[in-house]
Amino acid sequence: QKEVEQNSGPLSVPEGAIASLNCTYSDRGSQSFFWYRQYSGKSPELIMSIYSNGDKEDGRFTAQLNKASQYVSLLIRDSQPSDSATYLCAVNGPDSWGKLQFGAGTQVVVTP
Amino acid sequence: DVKVTQSSRYLVKRTGEKVFLECVQDMDHENMFWYRQDPGLGLRLIYFSYDVKMKEKGDIPEGYSVSREKKERFSLILESASTNQTSMYLCASKGIGTTDTQYFGPGTRLTVL
């Protein structure tokens, strides 16, 4: 079993709709959770981080964390074609060096 | 603004060549990482370093070595490049705190012929 799991997609979303991405993780001791966006041929860039249960909003992005159920999600409101990318979920690993465990990523395609 | 830079954006080498990929960060981060990314396989950790001259193997260290002589610089070495090492190589750096953000460099697309 992979430590961080995401649906690979592609997730097709009409422009203006909400994109909902999910991520589950296996290590109950995980403390920090990150969402990265990666455009084709580019490197990942951080868009959200969340550390405590509940919701965290930043512009059109909302991250949701439920440690009891071991999942973290990302909502993208009013999806735009520029949101078309692969979204990587990353979880602070169990060791003390702060090594992140990455999911394989979910590809999002926003259609006009 | 955090900056992680990599020595080359694109690189073409021949089988058997020794290849050096360099990474420099300007945020005084303790941790530095080398990943490779291939379609369908996601990010795979090759090596990481948590201090100068300290290194730990990641998930796929075979065929690679690393060097960290200065805090800001982390080098990935392919001792004898092979075609199966054709990939996108990503360097990253991060502070030691559990909530610290990990920043990526722009990547080096390496082709081994």
Side-chain angles (χ1 to χ4, degrees), chain A residues 2-6 23 25-27 30 32 34 88-95 98-104, chain B residues 35 43 45 59 102:
Chain A
K2 290 184 181 176
E3 296 187 34
V4 180
E5 300 228 34
Q6 298 179 252
C23 171
Y25 60 94
S26 60
D27 183 15
S30 299
S32 310
F34 306 86
L88 303 173
C89 173
V91 176
N92 172 240
D95 61 58
K99 195 171 57 172
L100 295 181
Q101 303 289 339
F102 284 87
Chain B
Y35 297 89
L43 278 169
L45 182 65
D59 301 318
Q102 181 165 308

Side-chain angles (χ1 to χ4, degrees), chain A residues 32 36 38 41 43 51 97-98, chain B residues 9 31 37 94 98-99 102 105:
Chain A
S32 310
Y36 285 82
Q38 186 175 23
S43 62
Y51 313 116
W97 307 118
Chain B
R9 190 76 181 88
N31 292 340
Q37 189 174 35
K94 184 181 180 296
T98 55
T99 59
Q102 181 165 308

Side-chain angles (χ1 to χ4, degrees), chain B residues 17-34:
Chain B
E17 280 193 79
K18 191 168 187 175
V19 181
F20 293 88
L21 302 182
E22 303 237 309
C23 175
V24 178
Q25 52 98 0
D26 67 358
M27 279 303 290
D28 202 36
H29 284 163
E30 289 79 6
N31 292 340
M32 295 189 75
F33 307 86
W34 275 107

Side-chain angles (χ1 to χ4, degrees), chain A residues 29-68:
Chain A
S30 299
Q31 299 174 305
S32 310
F33 307 85
F34 306 86
W35 283 100
Y36 285 82
R37 177 178 61 200
Q38 186 175 23
Y39 292 115
S40 180
K42 303 292 186 183
S43 62
E45 57 177 329
L46 182 75
I47 53 171
M48 289 288 288
S49 58
I50 187 166
Y51 313 116
S52 53
N53 282 328
D55 295 0
K56 180 182 177 183
E57 189 175 314
D58 184 0
R60 295 186 295 109
F61 297 99
T62 299
Q64 300 173 316
L65 175 62
N66 184 324
K67 289 186 178 180

Side-chain angles (χ1 to χ4, degrees), chain B residues 3-4 6 10 23 32 48 51 68-69 85 91 94 102 108-110:
Chain B
K3 207 162 230 181
V4 181
Q6 296 183 228
Y10 298 94
C23 175
M32 295 189 75
F48 70 100
D51 201 351
R68 194 165 179 200
E69 297 296 319
Q85 292 179 309
C91 175
K94 184 181 180 296
Q102 181 165 308
T108 296
R109 185 162 293 282
L110 173 67

Side-chain angles (χ1 to χ4, degrees), chain B residues 38-49:
Chain B
D38 302 286
L41 296 178
L43 278 169
R44 292 183 291 169
L45 182 65
I46 304 171
Y47 267 98
F48 70 100
S49 169

